[in-house]
Amino acid sequence: MPIRVLDPKVVSRIAAGEVVERPASVVKELVENSLDAGSSQISIETRGGGVSLIRVMDNGVGIPAGEVELAFDRYATSKIGSLDDLESISSLGFRGEALPSIAAVAQVDIVTCVAGKSVGTYLSLNDGVIENKGSQGHPQGTTVTVRNLFRRVPARLKFLKSPTTENSHIANVVSQYALAFPEVKFTLFIDGRTALRTPGRGYLIDSVIEVYGVEVAQNMLEMRDGEWESRTVYPGITGMVGSPVVSRSNRACLSFFINRRWVNSRLLTWAVEEAYHRLLPQGKHPITIINISLPHQEVDINVHPTKTEVKFQNEHMVFTTVQKAVRRALIELMPVPKIEATATTYVSTPQPRQAALTSPSASVITSPPVAPQTPAVALPVLRILGQLSSSYIIAEGPDGLYLIDQHAAHERVLFEKVKHQRSRQEIEVQGLLEPVTFEVNPKQEEVLKSHYQNLAEFGFSIEPFGDRTYLVRAVPVLLYDKDWAAMMRQLLDSLSGGDWAESIAVSIACHSAVTAGQALTDGEMRELIRQLEQTAIPHTCPHGRPTMIRLSSGQLAREFGRG
Ligand code: ADP
Ligand code: MG
């Protein structure tokens, strides 16, 4: 065949194929247009899996009579005007391709009316060609009706799945936008049945209830906008994440919206799954709704015709921020066991759970993981008020006063850090300027001999020097300016059976942690609490003693005779 320029009809049908893959794509494009038009109510109706009929009705701004035809021209859009605008798109649409693409593969009717007009404009097209136009009554807004989708494109029709499957894709699209726009009232009718109806009151939880049901909604944790990091540098993250009790066996319930655009992103999926690491069993996936707001120039949405793929300028930053925000919500908001007691009480975890978490079998040595590790407890957000006796941090929490033992808290932090570093063979070691001799008694020598290697794994480099004397060449960085010789003696005296790795880690943590009587700056206290929040078991030190006690607001009220 000689080379020739394709007929415009063929061109538009090829182009349509990129935008309109299946009925759900039509629904997506029409709903996006309705949202861009500022609608507060969007009603969607489909029949026959969306092939026979798709109708989207909105109460948005409408299209002026003189522009309705233009809306069906390729690359006709009211949303951007120049190349510069492409850098700062805040609307969902901008390519001006949806209406012409849909019209190229179906029969389309549109009735639209702008504010202040008593009568609307009507236009009907068949396979992209205008068949009819005129006036028709319509309240302010737009109704687009699409019939007989793909009737002239049998190849496409053949690839469609059963109406049930196509319906579920349609319901998913509408659900996603209902989650992204809780202030919009969505109604979806599938073959005459109401499949979804949101109240449009502006609360995400309402949409969650409609989309996932009450049980899931009760187990969602809300993420607040990035209080924890400076908003000038990081993107804002809001939304909800499911507590691990409501997981699913596929990734369909991970929703991401960037500047309110529904997107797919492997990067974001990965960030979320990292945040749930060890909280969900293998093969289980969370339910999350994550809204990311980013400066427009930091995300390129124009990388795919359906605008569902995006590219971030700073992937690393987006990744860590999302991961941290999700993790934070999970750790902070998972329910803290309630303590019912009249006296001042330890903030403690139920014993069995705690034992399981601190026992050697739960440490990194075990593989494969038998059960998911759920952080037993989470710390509430604490506001630091000051330091008492240079030993305790005084803080205010959502339910009363917290006194934190700075040494015990730091021990917990360092203990987990040391164990973690050892498991990755990342213990930081500090060589001594000159080797130091270290003398031991016979009993200590016995223990030392059998634990050379174990001690080496934790960063001690020790060699025999004859006559119950040893040469120490390096110690863990944490102990460099501490009394590591005293620590070694104590350890050798206590290291009998049991879990030696645990014992060594406890001993290192104990001897390198800040001590009671050490004055701390506000910054140091905040940092300590921040690190404590990130531990698996913040409420106890590795010896099993509490790191904090709490005086609840109720107790305070009672003590002061207010209650
Ligand atoms: P795009 O959304 O990329 O601009 P479309 O082909 O989807 O392209 O729509 C073309 C134009 O038609 C839009 O820019 C908008 O001006 C107008 N339009 C489409 N749907 C609606 C609607 N529901 N309400 C108001 N205007 C609409
Ligand atoms: Mg559009």
Side-chain angles (χ1 to χ4, degrees), residues 94-153:
F94 57 88
R95 298 170 62 112
E97 286 183 316
L99 291 183
S101 298
I102 297 165
V105 291
Q107 266 172 278
V108 177
D109 281 0
I110 185 169
V111 191
T112 180
C113 185
V114 297
K117 286 276 188 272
S118 53
V119 66
T121 314
Y122 164 81
L123 185 73
S124 86
L125 302 93
N126 197 357
D127 288 327
V129 181
I130 295 175
E131 286 203 319
N132 242 315
K133 52 185 164 183
S135 306
Q136 190 173 315
H138 194 278
Q140 185 193 321
T142 305
T143 301
V144 178
T145 310
V146 179
R147 290 191 178 86
N148 300 323
L149 183 65
F150 297 140
R151 185 155 69 185
R152 301 276 169 86
V153 198

Coordinates of all heavy atoms in Angstrom, one line a residue, residues 94-153:
F94 N -7.5 18.7 30.5 CA -6.7 19.8 29.9 C -6.4 19.4 28.5 O -6.0 20.3 27.7 CB -5.4 20.1 30.7 CG -4.5 18.9 30.9 CD1 -3.6 18.6 29.9 CD2 -4.6 18.1 32.0 CE1 -2.8 17.5 30.0 CE2 -3.8 16.9 32.1 CZ -2.9 16.7 31.2
R95 N -6.6 18.2 28.1 CA -6.1 17.8 26.8 C -7.2 18.0 25.7 O -6.9 17.9 24.5 CB -5.7 16.3 26.8 CG -4.5 16.1 27.7 CD -4.3 14.6 27.9 NE -3.9 13.9 26.7 CZ -2.7 13.4 26.4 NH1 -1.8 13.5 27.3 NH2 -2.5 12.8 25.3
G96 N -8.4 18.3 26.1 CA -9.4 18.5 25.1 C -9.7 17.3 24.2 O -10.1 17.5 23.1
E97 N -9.5 16.1 24.8 CA -9.7 14.9 23.9 C -10.9 14.1 24.3 O -11.3 13.3 23.5 CB -8.4 14.1 24.1 CG -7.2 14.6 23.4 CD -6.0 13.6 23.5 OE1 -5.8 13.1 24.6 OE2 -5.4 13.4 22.5
A98 N -11.4 14.3 25.5 CA -12.4 13.3 26.0 C -13.7 13.3 25.1 O -14.1 12.3 24.6 CB -12.7 13.6 27.4
L99 N -14.3 14.5 25.1 CA -15.6 14.5 24.3 C -15.4 14.1 22.9 O -16.2 13.2 22.4 CB -16.2 15.9 24.5 CG -16.7 16.3 25.9 CD1 -17.4 17.7 25.9 CD2 -17.7 15.2 26.4
P100 N -14.5 14.6 22.1 CA -14.4 14.1 20.7 C -14.0 12.6 20.7 O -14.5 11.9 19.8 CB -13.2 14.9 20.1 CG -12.5 15.6 21.3 CD -13.5 15.7 22.4
S101 N -13.3 12.1 21.6 CA -12.9 10.7 21.6 C -14.1 9.8 21.8 O -14.4 8.8 21.2 CB -11.9 10.4 22.6 OG -10.7 11.1 22.4
I102 N -14.9 10.2 22.8 CA -16.1 9.5 23.1 C -17.1 9.5 22.0 O -17.6 8.5 21.5 CB -16.8 10.0 24.4 CG1 -15.9 9.8 25.6 CG2 -18.1 9.3 24.7 CD1 -16.3 10.6 26.9
A103 N -17.2 10.7 21.4 CA -18.1 10.9 20.3 C -17.7 10.1 19.0 O -18.5 9.7 18.2 CB -18.3 12.4 19.9
A104 N -16.4 9.8 18.9 CA -15.9 9.1 17.8 C -16.3 7.6 17.8 O -16.3 6.9 16.8 CB -14.4 9.2 17.7
V105 N -16.6 7.1 19.0 CA -16.9 5.7 19.2 C -18.3 5.4 19.8 O -18.5 4.3 20.3 CB -15.8 5.0 20.0 CG1 -14.5 4.9 19.3 CG2 -15.7 5.7 21.4
A106 N -19.2 6.4 19.7 CA -20.5 6.1 20.3 C -21.5 7.2 19.8 O -21.1 8.0 19.0 CB -20.5 6.2 21.8
Q107 N -22.7 7.1 20.2 CA -23.7 8.1 19.9 C -23.8 9.0 21.2 O -23.9 8.5 22.3 CB -25.1 7.5 19.8 CG -25.5 7.1 18.4 CD -26.8 6.3 18.6 OE1 -26.8 5.1 18.8 NE2 -27.9 7.0 18.4
V108 N -23.6 10.3 21.0 CA -23.6 11.2 22.2 C -24.6 12.3 22.1 O -24.8 12.9 21.0 CB -22.1 11.8 22.3 CG1 -22.1 12.8 23.5 CG2 -21.1 10.7 22.5
D109 N -25.3 12.5 23.2 CA -26.2 13.7 23.3 C -25.7 14.5 24.4 O -25.3 14.0 25.5 CB -27.6 13.2 23.8 CG -28.4 12.6 22.8 OD1 -27.9 12.5 21.6 OD2 -29.5 12.2 23.1
I110 N -25.8 15.8 24.3 CA -25.4 16.7 25.4 C -26.5 17.8 25.5 O -27.0 18.3 24.5 CB -24.0 17.3 25.2 CG1 -23.6 18.1 26.4 CG2 -24.0 18.2 23.9 CD1 -22.1 18.6 26.4
V111 N -26.9 18.0 26.7 CA -27.8 19.2 27.0 C -27.1 19.9 28.1 O -26.7 19.4 29.1 CB -29.2 18.7 27.5 CG1 -30.1 19.9 27.5 CG2 -29.8 17.6 26.6
T112 N -27.0 21.2 27.9 CA -26.2 22.0 28.9 C -26.8 23.4 29.0 O -27.3 23.9 28.0 CB -24.7 22.0 28.5 OG1 -24.0 22.8 29.5 CG2 -24.5 22.6 27.1
C113 N -26.7 23.9 30.2 CA -27.3 25.2 30.4 C -26.4 26.0 31.4 O -26.0 25.5 32.5 CB -28.7 25.1 31.0 SG -29.6 26.7 31.2
V114 N -26.1 27.2 31.1 CA -25.3 28.0 32.0 C -26.2 28.9 32.9 O -27.4 29.0 32.7 CB -24.3 29.0 31.2 CG1 -23.3 28.2 30.5 CG2 -25.0 29.9 30.3
A115 N -25.6 29.4 33.9 CA -26.3 30.2 34.9 C -27.0 31.4 34.2 O -26.5 32.0 33.3 CB -25.4 30.8 36.0
G116 N -28.2 31.7 34.6 CA -28.9 32.9 34.1 C -29.6 32.7 32.8 O -30.4 33.6 32.3
K117 N -29.5 31.5 32.2 CA -30.3 31.2 31.0 C -31.5 30.4 31.3 O -31.4 29.5 32.2 CB -29.4 30.4 30.0 CG -28.3 31.3 29.3 CD -28.8 32.0 28.1 CE -27.7 32.8 27.4 NZ -27.5 34.1 27.8
S118 N -32.5 30.6 30.6 CA -33.8 29.9 30.9 C -33.9 28.6 30.1 O -34.6 27.7 30.4 CB -35.0 30.8 30.7 OG -34.9 31.3 29.3
V119 N -33.1 28.6 29.0 CA -33.2 27.4 28.2 C -31.8 26.9 27.8 O -30.8 27.7 27.7 CB -34.0 27.7 26.9 CG1 -33.4 28.7 26.0 CG2 -34.3 26.4 26.1
G120 N -31.6 25.6 27.7 CA -30.3 25.0 27.5 C -30.1 24.7 26.0 O -30.9 24.9 25.2
T121 N -28.9 24.2 25.8 CA -28.5 23.9 24.4 C -28.4 22.4 24.3 O -28.0 21.7 25.2 CB -27.1 24.5 24.1 OG1 -27.0 25.8 24.6 CG2 -26.8 24.4 22.6
Y122 N -28.9 21.9 23.1 CA -28.9 20.5 22.9 C -28.1 20.2 21.6 O -28.1 20.9 20.7 CB -30.4 20.1 22.7 CG -30.5 18.7 22.0 CD1 -30.4 17.6 22.8 CD2 -30.8 18.6 20.7 CE1 -30.6 16.3 22.3 CE2 -30.9 17.3 20.1 CZ -30.8 16.2 20.9 OH -31.0 14.9 20.3
L123 N -27.3 19.1 21.7 CA -26.5 18.7 20.5 C -26.4 17.2 20.5 O -26.3 16.6 21.6 CB -25.1 19.3 20.7 CG -24.1 19.1 19.5 CD1 -24.5 20.0 18.3 CD2 -22.7 19.5 20.0
S124 N -26.6 16.6 19.4 CA -26.4 15.1 19.3 C -25.5 14.8 18.2 O -25.5 15.4 17.1 CB -27.8 14.4 19.2 OG -28.1 14.3 17.8
L125 N -24.6 13.8 18.4 CA -23.6 13.4 17.5 C -23.7 11.9 17.3 O -24.0 11.2 18.3 CB -22.2 13.8 17.9 CG -21.9 15.2 18.3 CD1 -22.1 15.5 19.7 CD2 -20.5 15.5 17.9
N126 N -23.4 11.4 16.1 CA -23.3 10.0 15.9 C -22.0 9.7 15.2 O -21.7 10.3 14.1 CB -24.5 9.5 15.0 CG -24.7 8.0 15.1 OD1 -23.9 7.3 15.7 ND2 -25.7 7.5 14.4
D127 N -21.2 8.9 15.8 CA -19.8 8.6 15.3 C -19.1 9.9 15.0 O -18.4 10.0 13.9 CB -19.9 7.7 14.0 CG -20.3 6.3 14.4 OD1 -19.9 5.9 15.5 OD2 -21.0 5.6 13.6
G128 N -19.2 10.8 15.8 CA -18.4 12.1 15.7 C -19.0 13.1 14.8 O -18.5 14.2 14.7
V129 N -20.1 12.8 14.2 CA -20.8 13.8 13.2 C -22.0 14.3 13.9 O -22.8 13.6 14.4 CB -21.1 13.1 11.9 CG1 -21.7 14.1 10.9 CG2 -19.9 12.4 11.3
I130 N -22.1 15.7 13.8 CA -23.3 16.3 14.4 C -24.6 16.0 13.6 O -24.6 16.1 12.4 CB -23.1 17.8 14.5 CG1 -21.9 18.2 15.4 CG2 -24.4 18.5 14.9 CD1 -21.6 19.6 15.5
E131 N -25.6 15.5 14.4 CA -26.8 15.1 13.7 C -27.9 16.0 14.0 O -28.9 16.1 13.2 CB -27.2 13.7 14.2 CG -26.3 12.6 13.6 CD -27.0 11.2 13.6 OE1 -27.7 10.9 14.6 OE2 -26.9 10.5 12.6
N132 N -27.9 16.6 15.1 CA -29.0 17.4 15.6 C -28.5 18.5 16.5 O -27.6 18.3 17.3 CB -30.0 16.6 16.3 CG -31.3 16.5 15.6 OD1 -31.9 17.6 15.2 ND2 -31.9 15.3 15.5
K133 N -29.1 19.7 16.4 CA -28.9 20.7 17.5 C -30.1 21.5 17.7 O -31.0 21.6 16.8 CB -27.6 21.5 17.2 CG -27.6 22.2 15.8 CD -26.2 22.8 15.6 CE -26.0 23.2 14.2 NZ -24.7 23.7 13.9
G134 N -30.1 22.2 18.9 CA -31.3 23.0 19.2 C -31.3 23.4 20.6 O -30.3 23.4 21.3
S135 N -32.5 23.8 21.1 CA -32.6 24.3 22.4 C -33.4 23.2 23.2 O -34.3 22.6 22.6 CB -33.4 25.6 22.5 OG -32.7 26.5 21.7
Q136 N -33.1 23.2 24.5 CA -33.9 22.2 25.3 C -33.8 22.7 26.7 O -32.8 23.2 27.2 CB -33.3 20.8 25.2 CG -34.2 19.8 25.8 CD -33.6 18.4 25.5 OE1 -33.3 18.0 24.4 NE2 -33.6 17.5 26.6
G137 N -34.9 22.5 27.5 CA -34.9 22.9 28.9 C -34.0 22.1 29.7 O -33.9 20.9 29.5
H138 N -33.3 22.7 30.6 CA -32.3 22.0 31.4 C -31.9 22.9 32.6 O -31.7 24.1 32.3 CB -31.1 21.6 30.6 CG -30.2 20.6 31.3 ND1 -29.3 20.9 32.3 CD2 -30.1 19.2 31.2 CE1 -28.7 19.8 32.7 NE2 -29.2 18.8 32.0
P139 N -31.9 22.4 33.8 CA -31.4 23.3 34.9 C -29.9 23.6 34.7 O -29.3 22.9 33.9 CB -31.6 22.4 36.1 CG -31.8 21.0 35.7 CD -32.3 21.1 34.2
Q140 N -29.4 24.5 35.4 CA -28.0 24.8 35.2 C -27.2 23.5 35.4 O -27.3 22.8 36.4 CB -27.5 25.9 36.2 CG -26.1 26.2 35.9 CD -25.4 27.1 37.0 OE1 -26.1 27.9 37.6 NE2 -24.1 26.8 37.3
G141 N -26.3 23.3 34.5 CA -25.4 22.1 34.5 C -25.4 21.4 33.2 O -25.9 22.0 32.2
T142 N -24.9 20.2 33.2 CA -24.7 19.5 31.9 C -25.1 18.0 32.1 O -24.9 17.4 33.1 CB -23.2 19.6 31.5 OG1 -22.9 20.9 31.5 CG2 -23.0 18.9 30.1
T143 N -25.8 17.5 31.0 CA -26.1 16.1 31.0 C -25.5 15.5 29.7 O -25.8 16.0 28.6 CB -27.6 15.8 31.0 OG1 -28.1 16.4 32.2 CG2 -27.9 14.3 31.0
V144 N -24.6 14.6 29.9 CA -24.1 13.9 28.7 C -24.6 12.5 28.6 O -24.5 11.8 29.6 CB -22.5 13.9 28.7 CG1 -22.0 13.2 27.5 CG2 -22.0 15.4 28.7
T145 N -25.1 12.1 27.5 CA -25.6 10.7 27.4 C -24.8 10.0 26.3 O -24.7 10.5 25.2 CB -27.1 10.7 27.0 OG1 -27.8 11.5 28.0 CG2 -27.7 9.3 27.1
V146 N -24.3 8.8 26.6 CA -23.5 8.1 25.6 C -24.2 6.7 25.4 O -24.4 6.0 26.3 CB -22.1 7.8 26.2 CG1 -21.2 7.0 25.2 CG2 -21.4 9.2 26.5
R147 N -24.6 6.5 24.1 CA -25.2 5.2 23.8 C -24.4 4.4 22.9 O -23.7 4.9 22.1 CB -26.6 5.5 23.2 CG -27.6 6.1 24.2 CD -29.0 6.1 23.5 NE -30.0 6.6 24.5 CZ -30.3 7.9 24.6 NH1 -29.7 8.8 23.9 NH2 -31.2 8.3 25.5
N148 N -24.7 3.1 22.9 CA -24.1 2.2 21.9 C -22.6 2.3 21.8 O -22.0 2.4 20.7 CB -24.8 2.3 20.6 CG -26.2 2.0 20.7 OD1 -26.6 1.1 21.5 ND2 -27.1 2.8 20.0
L149 N -21.9 2.3 22.9 CA -20.5 2.5 22.9 C -19.8 1.3 22.1 O -20.1 0.2 22.2 CB -20.0 2.5 24.3 CG -18.5 2.7 24.6 CD1 -18.0 4.1 24.1 CD2 -18.1 2.5 26.0
F150 N -18.9 1.7 21.2 CA -18.1 0.8 20.5 C -18.9 0.0 19.4 O -18.4 -1.1 18.9 CB -17.3 -0.2 21.4 CG -16.3 0.4 22.3 CD1 -16.2 -0.1 23.6 CD2 -15.5 1.4 21.9 CE1 -15.2 0.4 24.5 CE2 -14.5 2.0 22.7 CZ -14.4 1.5 24.0
R151 N -20.1 0.4 19.1 CA -20.9 -0.4 18.2 C -20.1 -0.5 16.8 O -20.2 -1.5 16.2 CB -22.3 0.2 18.0 CG -23.1 -0.7 17.1 CD -24.5 -0.6 17.3 NE -25.0 0.7 16.8 CZ -26.3 1.1 16.9 NH1 -27.1 0.3 17.5 NH2 -26.6 2.3 16.5
R152 N -19.5 0.6 16.5 CA -18.7 0.6 15.2 C -17.3 0.2 15.4 O -16.5 0.4 14.5 CB -18.8 2.0 14.6 CG -20.2 2.5 14.3 CD -20.6 2.0 13.0 NE -22.0 2.2 12.7 CZ -22.5 3.3 12.2 NH1 -21.7 4.3 11.9 NH2 -23.8 3.4 12.1
V153 N -16.9 -0.3 16.6 CA -15.5 -0.7 16.8 C -15.6 -2.1 17.4 O -15.3 -2.3 18.5 CB -14.8 0.3 17.8 CG1 -13.3 0.1 17.7 CG2 -15.2 1.7 17.6

